Amino acid sequence: MSKLGIIINGIVKENPTFVLMLGMCPTLATTTSAMNGLMMGLATMAVLVCSNVIISLIKKLTPDMVHIPVYIVVIATLVTIVQFSLAAYLPDVNKQLGLFIPLIVVNCVILGRAESFASKNSPLASACDGIGIGLGFTLGLTLLGIAREILGNGTVFDIRIVPEQFGMLLFILPPGAFLTLGYIIAIINRFKKA
């Protein structure tokens, strides 16, 4: 598969949010706004791309008995770098996302891609996979955040587009995350069949 094909595959065919339905905890918890979804997706993508490349580079040096703990240490180190960077340069984003940034360490999207792709492919292909899956995850979180923000607050990226009295608080709350995600997946599946 070409490098562009690997990227497109991660966005469309293996989209972590809408197709594979992986990483649902941050997907549902952080998408109360479009900005939160975008920033969580970008943070996850940064860790995913870097961890894929590093794991691809060290795959022959890592014994089979300890490869999962090694992957987790690599991912945890990268997450720590991302969290410190957010705290230093984007403290408001770091505060909004809170505990969900450290939880990137155990995000099954990242560990799954390390195990299924990066440990078996070249660093360049692994970087492309990380970019594709990361963009797919970011797109999914941002789209869900946009829908929830419009329905709940009447805004998109804090820009008012619907009068305030038409906002439905339900969509900012946890049940709204499930409802919105369900409808988006239903719409995507409907278009796939057409």
Side-chain angles (χ1 to χ4, degrees), residues 28-34 36 144-155 167-178 180:
L28 298 172
T30 63
T31 56
T32 55
S33 71
N36 286 354
L144 187 58
I146 288 171
R148 290 181 68 195
E149 187 176 351
I150 289 172
L151 294 168
N153 285 336
T155 60
M168 296 173 275
L169 181 61
L170 170 71
F171 288 98
I172 301 299
L173 299 173
F178 284 104
T180 308

Side-chain angles (χ1 to χ4, degrees), residues 30 40 79 83 94-105:
T30 63
M40 185 66 187
V79 168
Q83 185 173 23
N94 188 53
K95 186 178 177 184
Q96 282 287 331
L97 297 178
L99 179 63
F100 292 99
I101 295 295
L103 287 175
I104 292 173
V105 173

Side-chain angles (χ1 to χ4, degrees), residues 57-97:
L57 288 169
I58 65 170
K59 66 186 174 207
K60 292 181 181 173
L61 302 173
T62 309
D64 286 340
M65 294 187 325
V66 295
H67 72 276
I68 296 293
V70 169
Y71 297 170
I72 291 172
V73 169
V74 168
I75 295 166
T77 303
L78 294 168
V79 168
T80 303
I81 292 168
V82 167
Q83 185 173 23
F84 284 164
S85 299
L86 284 175
Y89 299 109
L90 297 169
D92 291 338
V93 171
N94 188 53
K95 186 178 177 184
Q96 282 287 331
L97 297 178

Side-chain angles (χ1 to χ4, degrees), residues 156-177:
V156 173
F157 291 102
D158 292 327
I159 299 169
R160 179 141 314 275
I161 59 168
V162 176
E164 197 170 330
Q165 63 266 27
F166 293 110
M168 296 173 275
L169 181 61
L170 170 71
F171 288 98
I172 301 299
L173 299 173

